[in-house]
Amino acid sequence: MISRAGRRILGLSRPAAYRALDTKIFQGTRWSSSSPRRWSTPLAKSIAEAIATTGPISIAAYMRQCLTSPDGGYYTTNREGRDQFGRKGDFVTSPEISQIFGELFGLWLVTEWMAQGRKKQGVEIIEVGPGRGTLMDDILRTVSTFKSLTSSIENIYLVEASPSLRAAQKDLLCGDAAFEEVSTGYRSTSKYAGLPITWCEDIRFVPNEPDKTPFIFAHEFFDALPIHAFQSVPPSQTPTQTLSTPTGQISLNRPKAEAQKPQWRELLVSPTVPSSIITTSASSVPSTKRSKEPKPDFQLSLAKASNPSSLLLPTQSQRYKDLLSTADAVIEISPESHSYVTEFARRIGGSKNSRSSTSSAVSPAPRKSEPSGAALILDYGPAETIPSSTLRGIRSHQLVSPLADAGEVDLSADVDFMALVEAALGASDNIEVHGPVEQGVFLEQMGIKERAEMLIRGLEKKGGNGVEVAGGGDQTPGKDAADMEPRKKTIREAVERLVSRLPGRGMGTLYKALAIVPERGGKRPVGFGGGLGA
């Protein structure tokens, strides 16, 4: 079984990243007579037709189409009998591994609410990318046991663009309650304390009021947001450029000193040469690739000249600038990730000033008289370095080419946590960012092992009958006491899988946690080195 990050857990280690993107396999090709092109999916054909009109597209544009296109997107198309998540889907996420994971998210919310003075009203819970709703179900089940907190919650917002996933979330969280369309999206009533739940397609549609206290959760959300990839090229590859405009070509003459500097070029997506109409020398393609991997519909190629993205995005952080002089360095940047975390920070701490919010691409955020709320982000990626060549495809728990079977393969890339930190701190003067810390550290500090032993003691007390066990809070009736040991083992193995730091055996190191909280003099939140009253 494979996790969303593309690492096989308790199995083989991840194959080399970008294996299917090796553009060298297209060297030495020669054309023969052509025949009608067969595309792997209808969406692949649509993307190729668009490229034929516009030219090669960014990885970001390709990811956006593959994941959210209304005509065949991975998350936006309801395919009969197919589920993206879980053992029968394409990948497994932590909430499906153990109910304890979501319970600890709920506990983290409780501790932050207490640390901020136990607000009696105006509390909101927001989750972006809720999947099937498993995480939110565990959060609400946990929170509902704290009656004073439950009574302070005014609304729950789920940011979800997929109609099929919205339906799954509604069924799990609300059961048979009415599901009605409202101005911001859809609304129903939770089975937990009758709390209202509102679905919005984008966080910008979630009301943003300065007197509210939002607790925001993002679990394996940022990894699915589109990325741009850029490669540093030496001065010898940066000739005088021209820019195409509706009125003709404009020469971009640069000063001599500027022309002698390396520049960023964007990696773009374009169709491959179809295998049915080319021949390739055996020496240019390894036999394993010829025999085991079908040729992808698309390939990556380096832009011949700078474009607006390569001229702007890599200049927004000193971290990117420092790598420009490294020949062939590749960096990945996700502007949408920056926009989302900026939104989180402004909802918690307010904008830096009134002008910044009106000019931003994210929703306006009025200055808050008192910063409140918190955001908990948990995803995978390096703690400090910039992701490079991490785009991956996952299907049926196997790593596959991200450039094949458009719309039928999950696409993701490592999260640049330091970029999230920079964006959050740049968005509001009144917030702090803690982390990233390894998932294993976060969960252990939150008490995952202690909670597992509580479940096991409860199992023993009931003689193996009717106790909640790992797996999203499902009630699993025990056959008899003899069934107890395997179930106790299941609980412990699930916990070990979530916290293990052994390469290829767990998620404890690969995944990271990041928290955004109101400015409070560096006082650490629970799970990040702090505790209640710490």
Side-chain angles (χ1 to χ4, degrees):
M1 184 176 294
I2 205 165
S3 68
R4 180 73 173 281
R7 293 289 179 91
R8 186 177 299 281
I9 308 302
L10 299 177
L12 298 176
S13 61
R14 171 187 167 197
Y18 265 166
R19 180 176 58 175
L21 306 187
D22 187 358
T23 55
K24 292 181 180 179
I25 69 174
F26 302 104
Q27 296 176 355
T29 60
R30 60 180 184 272
W31 291 90
S32 63
S33 58
S34 62
S35 60
R37 179 75 184 256
R38 292 185 179 180
W39 300 96
S40 60
T41 65
L43 181 58
K45 182 183 181 200
S46 298
I47 294 173
E49 289 173 345
I51 292 175
T53 301
T54 65
I57 61 175
S58 66
I59 296 175
Y62 175 78
M63 289 183 68
R64 194 174 296 111
Q65 285 296 305
C66 289
L67 296 178
T68 60
S69 169
D71 301 316
Y74 182 78
Y75 287 108
T76 48
T77 301
N78 187 13
R79 294 178 174 86
E80 189 68 26
R82 182 176 176 190
D83 190 354
Q84 295 98 337
F85 306 92
R87 295 178 182 273
K88 297 181 180 180
D90 292 324
F91 54 87
V92 64
T93 60
S94 297
E96 276 83 35
I97 294 173
S98 174
Q99 70 179 60
I100 306 175
F101 184 85
E103 290 173 349
L104 295 182
F105 270 54
L107 182 59
W108 192 85
L109 189 161
V110 173
T111 60
E112 271 303 307
W113 171 75
M114 295 172 64
Q116 296 180 36
R118 303 172 185 254
K119 304 282 185 180
K120 297 184 181 301
Q121 61 184 8
V123 172
E124 299 173 337
I125 301 177
I126 303 171
E127 184 182 2
V128 292
R132 291 191 299 196
T134 306
L135 177 63
M136 183 55 68
D137 187 62
D138 292 334
I139 290 174
L140 294 181
R141 188 181 66 254
T142 302
V143 168
S144 65
T145 63
F146 296 85
K147 303 304 180 184
S148 54
L149 169 56
T150 303
S151 65
S152 72
I153 299 174
E154 292 188 1
N155 214 327
I156 300 163
Y157 293 97
L158 300 181
V159 178
E160 181 58 71
S162 167
S164 59
L165 288 178
R166 274 200 303 266
Q169 295 154 16
K170 186 268 176 187
D171 289 344
L172 178 62
L173 299 173
C174 306
D176 296 330
F179 189 63
E180 60 180 344
E181 189 169 1
V182 295
S183 60
T184 55
Y186 298 88
R187 176 170 292 180
S188 189
T189 303
S190 167
K191 63 187 180 185
Y192 298 105
L195 296 171
I197 300 181
T198 302
W199 282 262
C200 303
E201 289 193 1
D202 191 286
I203 196 171
R204 292 173 295 181
F205 302 145
V206 176
N208 188 1
E209 303 174 41
D211 60 338
K212 304 302 181 186
T213 299
F215 291 96
I216 307 170
F217 296 99
H219 174 250
E220 293 204 46
F221 171 74
F222 286 96
D223 66 280
L225 294 182
I227 62 166
H228 291 261
F230 305 96
Q231 181 174 322
S232 175
V233 298
S236 60
Q237 297 182 28
T238 58
T240 301
Q241 304 166 31
T242 58
L243 178 66
S244 297
T245 71
T247 57
Q249 299 287 327
I250 297 178
S251 176
L252 300 178
N253 293 318
R254 292 171 283 122
K256 185 175 181 180
E258 182 72 16
Q260 295 176 351
K261 295 180 180 180
Q263 291 191 348
W264 292 110
R265 291 282 187 270
E266 185 160 17
L267 288 164
L268 302 175
V269 177
S270 60
T272 59
V273 178
S275 58
S276 61
I277 61 174
I278 63 169
T279 57
T280 310
S281 61
S283 61
S284 64
V285 182
S287 59
T288 54
K289 292 184 178 180
R290 291 199 306 272
S291 60
K292 295 182 180 180
E293 293 186 6
K295 180 178 286 295
D297 293 310
F298 302 96
Q299 63 178 313
L300 292 182
S301 58
L302 195 63
K304 295 180 180 179
S306 298
N307 60 19
S309 293
S310 65
L311 291 171
L312 174 63
L313 296 179
T315 67
Q316 296 181 337
S317 171
Q318 188 61 44
R319 299 166 66 235
Y320 307 143
K321 296 176 183 178
D322 290 343
L323 282 176
L324 179 58
S325 59
T326 302
D328 298 323
V330 175
I331 59 174
E332 294 172 350
I333 303 176
S334 175
E336 288 189 33
S337 295
H338 304 172
S339 293
Y340 262 93
V341 81
T342 292
E343 183 77 1
F344 294 176
R346 289 179 176 174
R347 286 174 180 266
I348 296 165
S351 298
K352 277 183 173 290
N353 55 63
S354 58
R355 292 182 181 179
S356 64
S357 62
T358 57
S359 61
S360 172
V362 298
S363 59
R367 293 182 67 86
K368 300 181 70 167
S369 58
E370 179 186 8
S372 63
L376 180 61
I377 299 167
L378 208 150
D379 226 306
Y380 56 86
E384 298 179 353
T385 58
I386 301 170
S388 175
S389 303
T390 68
L391 179 67
R392 61 180 65 84
I394 298 177
R395 187 176 189 179
S396 300
H397 301 278
Q398 298 292 326
L399 282 164
V400 297
S401 170
L403 300 177
D405 298 317
E408 296 184 0
V409 170
D410 177 53
L411 302 182
S412 64
D414 282 7
V415 175
D416 186 347
F417 281 97
M418 284 298 101
L420 299 186
V421 172
E422 289 181 350
L425 293 176
S428 176
D429 293 324
N430 302 311
I431 58 99
E432 296 177 352
V433 180
H434 295 269
V437 300
E438 293 179 354
Q439 173 174 291
V441 172
F442 172 77
L443 293 177
E444 287 174 347
Q445 289 191 15
M446 290 299 301
I448 188 171
K449 293 184 177 179
E450 291 79 1
R451 173 56 177 155
E453 293 307 312
M454 287 177 61
L455 285 178
I456 290 172
R457 286 196 296 271
L459 182 66
E460 293 171 338
K461 187 178 296 185
K462 293 187 179 183
N465 292 296
V467 64
E468 290 182 352
V469 297
D474 295 333
Q475 294 286 339
T476 305
K479 296 178 181 178
D480 48 45
D483 188 43
M484 188 186 306
E485 289 305 318
R487 296 173 66 208
K488 290 162 62 175
K489 181 180 179 183
T490 297
I491 294 174
R492 291 190 173 111
E493 286 181 347
V495 169
E496 180 63 20
R497 184 175 176 185
L498 292 172
V499 303
S500 175
R501 296 167 179 80
L502 295 177
R505 293 186 58 83
M507 306 160 75
T509 300
L510 182 62
Y511 286 77
K512 313 291 191 305
L514 189 75
I516 304 173
V517 297
E519 198 284 323
R520 55 195 185 195
K523 182 179 177 182
R524 295 176 181 272
V526 176
F528 295 83
L532 288 176

